[in-house]
């Protein structure tokens, strides 16, 4: 639905224990021309989209999950030494099933750090369940129309970085990130007791960017 209203290329990857990095990134395959000459041709994997859904991401091994690291950070992938740039805007959404833990792997810290935020979705309430029933068990039809396109998304993305931010707000974000580190003088007793590693530089970057987006949305 999100890809349709934003007019983005959508790609869904179902993560399973036997999924390999090449199943995500792609691989070189041998092709033969009319003269019988063989050559390698790169076959693009499902990562070559704009809106990527990594479904049940914690069901794949850490080695396979790490295939997303370069794509999420650099918006490019490297296969057999050749870099391939991904088409902007590029965004990865992922789901985890918190109930079935058998056959799952914890996400590497470096991978979790590359996600902008995490949403915990509770069990649907009465009204949500009614909507689900109405839209899935009855003859319900809906149409999704494009609201904006790629150019507008990229323009809005650039506008976010132009939003000014006061120095004392920057300082607050920095102090908040530093206070999440157990060895910091301003860390609380709970942080010192229960936290091994605090927020990374990406954490404070995300906090600032989220604040700028929130400010834009509020006019």
């Amino acid at each position: 639905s999100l890809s349709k209203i934003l007019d983005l290329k959508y790609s869904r990857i179902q993560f399973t224990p036997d999924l390999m990095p090449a199943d995500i990134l792609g691989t070189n395959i041998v092709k033969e021309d009319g003269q019988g000459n063989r050559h390698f041709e790169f076959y693009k994997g499902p990562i070559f989209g704009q809106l990527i859904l990594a479904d049940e991401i914690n069901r794949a091994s850490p080695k396979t999950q790490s295939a997303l690291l370069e794509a999420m950070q650099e918006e490019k992938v490297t296969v057999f030494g050749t870099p391939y740039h991904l088409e902007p805007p590029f965004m990865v959404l992922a789901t985890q099933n918190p109930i079935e833990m058998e056959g799952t792997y914890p996400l590497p810290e470096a991978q979790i750090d590359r996600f902008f935020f995490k949403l915990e979705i509770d069990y649907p309430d009465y009204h949500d369940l009614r909507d689900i029933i109405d839209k899935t068990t009855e003859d319900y039809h809906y149409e999704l129309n494009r609201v904006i396109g790629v150019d507008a998304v990229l323009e809005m993305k650039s506008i976010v970085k132009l939003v000014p931010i006061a120095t004392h707000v920057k300082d607050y974000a920095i102090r908040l990130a530093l206070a999440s580190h157990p060895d910091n003088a301003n860390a609380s007793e709970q942080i010192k007791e229960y936290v091994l590693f605090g927020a990374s530089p990406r954490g404070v970057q995300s906090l600032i960017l989220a604040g700028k987006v929130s400010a834009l949305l509020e006019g």
Side-chain angles (χ1 to χ4, degrees):
S1 299
L2 187 60
S3 66
K4 285 184 178 179
I5 64 173
L6 298 179
D7 197 25
L8 301 178
K9 296 177 184 175
Y10 171 68
S11 184
R12 177 182 178 275
I13 307 170
Q14 179 62 55
F15 278 62
T16 56
D18 60 347
L19 191 73
M20 299 298 290
D23 297 327
I24 298 174
L25 305 179
T27 188
N28 286 329
I29 59 175
V30 179
K31 301 280 285 188
E32 189 173 312
D33 59 23
Q35 287 74 40
N37 298 316
R38 295 182 177 181
H39 64 279
F40 283 110
E41 187 173 305
F42 180 62
Y43 177 79
K44 292 182 177 181
I47 196 68
F48 285 87
Q50 292 173 303
L51 185 62
I52 311 298
L53 173 61
D55 202 14
E56 295 188 302
I57 191 172
N58 55 331
R59 290 203 178 280
S61 67
K63 176 183 178 181
T64 300
Q65 292 171 8
S66 66
L68 293 173
L69 295 181
E70 183 184 19
M72 294 176 68
Q73 181 64 34
E74 309 291 340
E75 296 190 8
K76 70 179 178 69
V77 297
T78 304
V79 181
F80 295 109
T82 303
Y84 298 90
H85 291 275
L86 302 168
E87 186 176 353
F90 177 78
M91 177 165 49
V92 175
L93 307 178
T95 65
Q96 292 187 90
N97 189 337
I99 298 174
E100 297 178 55
M101 299 310 294
E102 187 175 346
T104 63
Y105 301 85
L107 297 184
E109 295 293 338
Q111 184 180 6
I112 296 174
D113 200 30
R114 282 164 169 78
F115 283 100
F116 191 69
F117 59 84
K118 176 182 177 179
L119 292 174
E120 293 191 2
I121 302 175
D122 294 328
Y123 192 80
D125 61 21
Y126 175 86
H127 298 289
D128 290 333
L129 286 173
R130 280 288 298 270
D131 285 341
I132 290 172
I133 291 173
D134 291 344
K135 293 176 181 178
T136 59
T137 65
E138 299 178 10
D139 189 20
Y140 177 82
H141 298 283
Y142 63 91
E143 272 190 40
L144 291 174
N145 299 313
R146 168 181 160 173
V147 176
I148 59 174
V150 172
D151 292 340
V153 173
L154 292 174
E155 183 181 2
M156 287 190 288
K157 188 177 178 181
S158 64
I159 289 174
V160 170
K161 293 190 176 181
L162 298 178
V163 175
I165 176 170
T167 301
H168 71 276
V169 178
K170 288 182 187 177
D171 291 343
Y172 175 77
I174 293 169
R175 291 200 310 272
L176 188 61
L178 290 176
S180 69
H181 291 258
D183 57 350
N184 187 269
N186 295 321
S188 66
E189 291 304 317
Q190 290 93 335
I191 293 291
K192 293 177 181 178
E193 185 174 357
Y194 296 112
V195 175
L196 281 176
F197 305 102
S200 72
R202 286 194 193 95
V204 73
Q205 287 173 336
S206 297
L207 187 61
I208 293 295
L209 289 172
K212 290 188 173 193
V213 171
S214 179
L216 276 175
L217 292 174
E218 294 184 17

